[in-house]
Amino acid sequence: MGSAGWYNNIFFRDAAEREGLVAKNFIGDAFSSTLRAQVADYIRNEFGGSLDLVVYNLATGVCPHPETGEMIRSAIKTVGEPLTGSTVNPETDTLEDTTPDAASDQEIADTVKVMGGEDWQDWINFLRLEGVLAQGCRTVAYSYIGSRETYRIYHEGTLGRAKKHLHETANNLEAQLSPSGGRVHVAVCKALVTKASVFIPAFAPYMLTLFKVMKKKIHEGCIEQMQRMFSSRIYNAEASVVTDKNRLSRMDDWELRENVQAELKPLLEKVSPENFAALGDYEGYKSEFLNLNGIGLEGISYQAEIDLGILSELKP
């Protein structure tokens, strides 16, 4: 009757409206010109005419070729040599070895096409030409770099190639928007449990041990991190965006603290199929993953009768 995300959209909109705010959901292909036109029309006619902030965060493994319609698929692989690592299976509560192949040149190019900055550029160009970006509009996209412990599978792999393209896109967009006072940035986030991150090969042991350490020191979830970013980095009292020398907003600063990484490394080296749940925060990791999909939430009776007629009438 609908995914967890479907109902998240419905009830987020309801919550916003109860607060006197406006929330609008569009269900469609985010890569399509048809959907872009619908969004621009809505902004122009029903959303005050312009936007002062655009957050770009599109998680997908596939996109259609703009001319042929052929589906282009990303590949989460290493570049150069294969890597053997461990991945958590939350269905069986086990840690299993996996060896993803090294990516071909075509797979690298396809991953950059799907997960790089091209679509972000296309969206901003379209909205700008439609005249629905306000003077001084800001736009931000999300990225990840991570610790050296994960460089082989992420920063130096196909994902890293796509993120490098995203960072370069930010510089191109900055040159286009800055004459009208616009600003363009990439937020480099910490490792978090998302519907995408749990499927990165050989990444789970790092996340398990990271959460174990950070929850003793200084931890934050997805919502808390975005609140910190907007309040302290983008819309702060000084009215100046806080970035590193590459114009990246480093929200991974807590993750990369020396005392966090120093405590994490020896734990990570000891992780095995027999001890991963004890050495890492597997309970918290699995709980967050299940909650994202509407499972295991406190205060919900999963045995209660539901009215399919009422559910079918709910619209995002």
Side-chain angles (χ1 to χ4, degrees):
M1 292 304 295
S3 66
W6 177 263
Y7 292 107
N8 282 345
N9 285 343
I10 291 171
F11 291 105
F12 179 87
R13 189 204 67 222
D14 285 350
E17 290 174 352
R18 287 197 300 271
E19 296 293 329
L21 304 172
V22 177
K24 171 69 174 177
N25 297 306
F26 293 87
I27 307 301
D29 177 6
F31 294 104
S32 74
S33 57
T34 301
L35 186 68
R36 288 177 185 152
Q38 291 175 5
V39 171
D41 286 344
Y42 177 78
I43 296 167
R44 187 181 297 109
N45 299 318
E46 301 182 56
F47 201 68
S50 64
L51 302 176
D52 56 20
L53 172 68
V54 177
V55 177
Y56 181 86
N57 184 36
L58 183 61
T60 181
V62 60
C63 77
H65 190 284
E67 296 176 0
T68 67
E70 177 188 359
M71 289 301 175
I72 303 169
R73 300 187 181 278
S74 62
I76 303 176
K77 295 183 176 183
T78 56
V79 172
E81 297 293 332
L83 170 71
T84 297
S86 300
T87 299
V88 166
N89 185 334
E91 283 192 273
T92 59
D93 295 323
T94 56
L95 190 70
E96 303 167 355
D97 278 348
T98 179
T99 307
D101 295 333
S104 66
D105 289 344
Q106 187 62 55
E107 286 174 321
I108 295 171
D110 287 349
T111 305
V112 171
K113 174 76 174 177
V114 175
M115 305 178 76
E118 182 177 315
D119 187 60
W120 183 25
Q121 175 101 47
D122 289 346
W123 264 101
I124 297 301
N125 284 346
F126 179 84
L127 295 173
R128 183 169 59 87
L129 291 173
E130 288 290 310
V132 294
L133 295 184
Q135 285 285 111
C137 178
R138 296 180 179 183
T139 181
V140 60
Y142 299 152
S143 183
Y144 183 70
I145 293 176
S147 160
R148 291 190 177 277
E149 305 296 331
T150 63
Y151 269 18
R152 282 292 317 283
I153 191 60
Y154 204 109
H155 186 56
E156 296 172 350
T158 54
L159 286 171
R161 295 289 182 92
K163 295 306 183 184
K164 182 175 183 290
H165 187 271
L166 184 78
H167 302 173
E168 292 168 351
T169 300
N171 293 329
N172 294 335
L173 286 172
E174 174 82 4
Q176 294 175 23
L177 296 186
S178 59
S180 61
R183 299 301 309 277
V184 181
H185 293 289
V186 170
V188 179
C189 303
K190 73 180 279 280
L192 295 161
V193 175
T194 70
K195 288 190 176 185
S197 68
V198 295
F199 295 108
I200 301 173
F203 198 67
Y206 174 78
M207 290 188 67
L208 295 179
T209 51
L210 176 70
F211 281 24
K212 185 84 167 186
V213 172
M214 291 196 72
K215 285 184 177 180
K216 293 190 300 182
K217 298 180 182 294
I218 183 167
H219 185 67
E220 60 189 351
C222 297
I223 292 175
E224 293 82 3
Q225 181 165 85
M226 292 302 98
Q227 168 64 26
R228 180 166 70 95
M229 180 186 76
F230 284 114
S231 64
S232 68
R233 303 296 176 83
I234 295 183
Y235 296 108
N236 52 47
E238 291 75 28
S240 61
V241 179
V242 180
T243 66
D244 66 8
K245 63 182 181 180
N246 296 315
R247 297 196 326 101
L248 301 173
S249 179
R250 300 305 297 261
M251 302 310 301
D252 59 350
D253 51 345
W254 293 2
E255 173 183 350
L256 299 183
R257 285 186 176 184
E258 187 174 338
N259 64 341
V260 169
Q261 291 295 315
E263 187 172 336
L264 173 155
K265 189 172 181 179
L267 291 176
L268 186 59
E269 291 173 347
K270 296 176 184 176
V271 167
S272 71
E274 293 73 35
N275 65 18
F276 75 95
L279 282 184
D281 180 31
Y282 179 60
E283 183 177 340
Y285 176 92
K286 182 177 180 180
S287 177
E288 285 193 46
F289 173 66
L290 293 176
N291 288 175
L292 277 174
N293 292 283
I295 303 169
L297 291 162
E298 292 184 7
I300 302 296
S301 173
Y302 290 93
Q303 288 72 44
E305 292 291 326
I306 58 173
D307 188 324
L308 296 182
I310 292 176
L311 287 182
S312 67
E313 291 174 1
L314 296 175
K315 304 298 180 186

